Amino acid sequence: MKYDRLLADASPTPYWLDTRDRPGALDALVGRTTADLVVVGGGYSGLWTALLAKERDPERDVLLLEANRIGWAASGRNGGFCSASLTHGYDNGESRWPDEMDTLERLGHENLDAIEATLERYGIECDFRRSGELAVATAEWQAEDLAAAPTSEDVVFLDREAVQAQVASPTYHAGLWDKTGCATVDPARLAFGLREACLRLGVRIHEKSPVSVLERDDRLMRVATDRGEVLAPKVALATNAFPSLLRRVRSFIVPVYDYALMTEPLSEAQMAAIGWENRQGVGDSANHFHYYRLSADNRILWGGYDAVYHFGSKISSRLDQRPETFDKLAGHFFETFPQLEGLGFTHKWGGVIDTCSRFCAFFGTAHGGAVAYAVGYTGLGVGATRFGADVMLDLLAGSETERTRLKMVRSKPVPFPPEPARWFGITVTSAALGRADHDGGRRNLWLRTLDRFGMGFDS
């Protein structure tokens, strides 16, 4: 492949997890115990749920079960964009819940503010930088869409000259800079910091404890692993892309693989060549889009474009590496930043994210309200999982709150069909989105039909 030389020595370990600062392993669950609340899953969703549960009631006995290690999956290998959006962008939310968008936007910004406050309160060092997000247009039709977007004091439209003054790429036609609606973080350090905060508050955490059984046992729920079990009145499921313990949820979720590269650190001259003094997170506005940002030591994380679904909703560590995607990403990187030609890549990795047909989280309960779930974050879980944790705790408490009254919370996405229709539909849709990118953004009959049924996506 064209970029083999620059990728040959890249580590397959996610950059964020390739650190000596990873905390030590925690013991697996062994034997029988009880708790007031069991949280299944040790990514952001589970960690926020456990932390907020203890903050709401310090006397509550909270036990968290993680199948592998804390932060090993999506929470430790994502791009580190901590967004205020709860709806995967304003347009996606406005098309589904137009009457609620003012509320959803406010709640999203309050959620991001609360994340920042939590990091300060617990002293979590994760390179949190609220530098905003820059949406860039790499085609004229995208520039027209950005120019039509609502603006404010904090959301500013940038023409070609202005956007290239922010980040120097010849591919940019225009940009939209949301100055306060996104932060960048070191995602693994965020997960590790939340873990330590939970432990400090008394949450019991067991790693290497995959849950295989969720069932009612008289008035309690029984949550069992291969070596132990917990009886508890309430359970929060935070398993996201991995098969839900609730069969009813599985048809709503598909696991999709996303891939990323990390460059070697840029020199002072290379940094000067690209500008980027405000260090925003950047995403282009195509359907098959890229996302990229600077690390603390001036590397560039470059990810996205290919979103790969495997027949039968297959999940495997072998799928974390995809050479053809890495080569494609490298090519796109140098098209965007030709002044960095020859820069090497130190890490190349992939991972699975959960997506649903409405491209943002949905919520629900089971077993008479004893079990709650939040899934379907579609790549925006770094920030939105905290909101989802609050929703799950509200639902488990039986509380009517501003959150639980939302149509977004009370509604479900359209389920995906069974195989082979599922694979066929996703494959056809991905190809149609790619054609739209090269045809002025025009959506064909297939995409317009999905739009009408609430399954369309315009990034």
Side-chain angles (χ1 to χ4, degrees), residues 16-232:
W16 313 111
L17 295 174
D18 193 7
T19 174
R20 297 177 181 176
D21 296 334
R22 189 170 187 173
L26 298 169
D27 291 340
L29 176 69
V30 178
R32 195 178 199 197
T33 188
T34 61
D36 297 323
L37 170 67
V38 174
V39 179
V40 182
Y44 297 141
S45 183
L47 291 166
W48 278 118
T49 303
L51 184 67
L52 293 174
K54 289 295 283 186
E55 288 186 340
R56 289 187 182 198
D57 180 1
E59 299 305 313
R60 180 183 295 179
D61 183 11
V62 179
L63 186 148
L64 185 151
L65 298 172
E66 163 55 39
N68 195 302
R69 295 285 305 280
I70 295 295
W72 77 278
S75 296
R77 59 185 68 207
N78 63 80
F81 284 63
C82 189
S83 174
S85 178
L86 304 176
T87 59
H88 211 293
Y90 185 90
D91 289 345
N92 187 51
E94 200 275 336
S95 70
R96 301 176 191 281
W97 308 287
D99 297 338
E100 291 185 346
M101 276 311 292
D102 287 347
T103 300
L104 288 167
E105 288 284 283
R106 173 178 57 79
L107 289 172
H109 278 82
E110 290 175 357
N111 183 64
L112 184 56
D113 291 342
I115 291 172
E116 186 171 9
T118 299
L119 302 183
E120 293 176 359
R121 184 163 63 252
Y122 292 102
I124 296 174
E125 297 290 340
C126 61
D127 194 32
F128 182 95
R129 298 172 187 255
R130 198 156 176 177
S131 50
E133 183 171 13
L134 181 62
V136 297
T138 55
E140 192 56 39
W141 67 270
Q142 298 170 22
E144 293 171 0
D145 287 349
L146 292 183
T151 58
S152 66
E153 182 179 350
D154 293 325
V155 180
V156 181
F157 175 76
L158 305 174
D159 62 17
R160 184 191 298 263
E161 182 178 355
V163 71
Q164 292 191 12
Q166 289 294 321
V167 183
S169 171
T171 65
Y172 295 168
H173 292 247
L176 191 71
W177 183 10
D178 181 349
K179 296 183 178 182
T180 62
C182 186
T184 56
V185 300
D186 179 321
R189 289 181 185 274
L190 173 58
F192 301 157
L194 291 174
R195 181 193 104 141
E196 295 310 305
C198 285
L199 291 172
R200 199 184 314 167
L201 294 186
V203 176
R204 291 183 285 157
I205 300 178
H206 294 283
E207 297 180 322
K208 297 295 183 179
S209 300
V211 173
S212 55
V213 176
L214 174 67
E215 63 185 11
R216 183 166 286 283
D217 186 336
D218 195 13
R219 290 176 296 174
L220 300 175
M221 296 303 302
R222 175 174 174 263
V223 182
T225 70
D226 58 347
R227 300 175 64 191
E229 66 176 33
V230 190
L231 294 177

Side-chain angles (χ1 to χ4, degrees), residues 359-395:
F359 304 97
C360 58
F362 66 95
F363 314 88
T365 60
H367 292 281
V371 177
Y373 60 86
V375 287
Y377 291 97
T378 316
L380 282 192
V382 181
T385 47
R386 184 192 176 281
F387 174 84
D390 261 331
V391 171
M392 283 196 284
L393 293 172
D394 289 346
L395 294 173

Side-chain angles (χ1 to χ4, degrees), residues 145-344:
D145 287 349
L146 292 183
T151 58
S152 66
E153 182 179 350
D154 293 325
V155 180
V156 181
F157 175 76
L158 305 174
D159 62 17
R160 184 191 298 263
E161 182 178 355
V163 71
Q164 292 191 12
Q166 289 294 321
V167 183
S169 171
T171 65
Y172 295 168
H173 292 247
L176 191 71
W177 183 10
D178 181 349
K179 296 183 178 182
T180 62
C182 186
T184 56
V185 300
D186 179 321
R189 289 181 185 274
L190 173 58
F192 301 157
L194 291 174
R195 181 193 104 141
E196 295 310 305
C198 285
L199 291 172
R200 199 184 314 167
L201 294 186
V203 176
R204 291 183 285 157
I205 300 178
H206 294 283
E207 297 180 322
K208 297 295 183 179
S209 300
V211 173
S212 55
V213 176
L214 174 67
E215 63 185 11
R216 183 166 286 283
D217 186 336
D218 195 13
R219 290 176 296 174
L220 300 175
M221 296 303 302
R222 175 174 174 263
V223 182
T225 70
D226 58 347
R227 300 175 64 191
E229 66 176 33
V230 190
L231 294 177
K234 302 292 183 181
V235 178
L237 298 180
T239 52
N240 295 329
F242 297 93
S244 176
L245 292 164
L246 298 173
R247 186 175 297 275
R248 71 177 72 171
V249 176
R250 296 176 191 172
S251 65
F252 292 102
I253 290 292
V254 294
V256 175
Y257 275 82
D258 180 51
Y259 296 90
L261 302 174
M262 184 67 92
T263 72
E264 61 191 5
L266 274 64
S267 67
E268 289 185 10
Q270 289 169 325
M271 285 297 298
I274 62 172
W276 215 342
E277 293 180 0
N278 288 305
R279 307 183 73 90
Q280 309 96 323
V282 182
D284 66 51
S285 304
N287 294 301
H288 288 296
F289 60 92
H290 307 86
Y291 56 86
Y292 40 112
R293 46 78 57 96
L294 292 165
S295 67
D297 59 349
N298 289 337
R299 301 168 186 263
I300 298 175
L301 179 142
W302 179 267
Y305 197 78
D306 281 345
V308 183
Y309 173 74
H310 295 276
F311 188 88
S313 296
K314 184 178 180 181
I315 297 175
S316 169
S317 59
R318 293 190 299 273
L319 302 176
D320 292 349
Q321 293 293 301
R322 198 168 192 263
E324 60 268 40
T325 291
F326 297 140
D327 193 74
K328 186 186 301 180
L329 284 172
H332 294 169
F333 177 86
F334 292 117
E335 289 173 10
T336 302
F337 296 119
Q339 63 270 53
L340 299 180
E341 187 68 40
L343 184 69

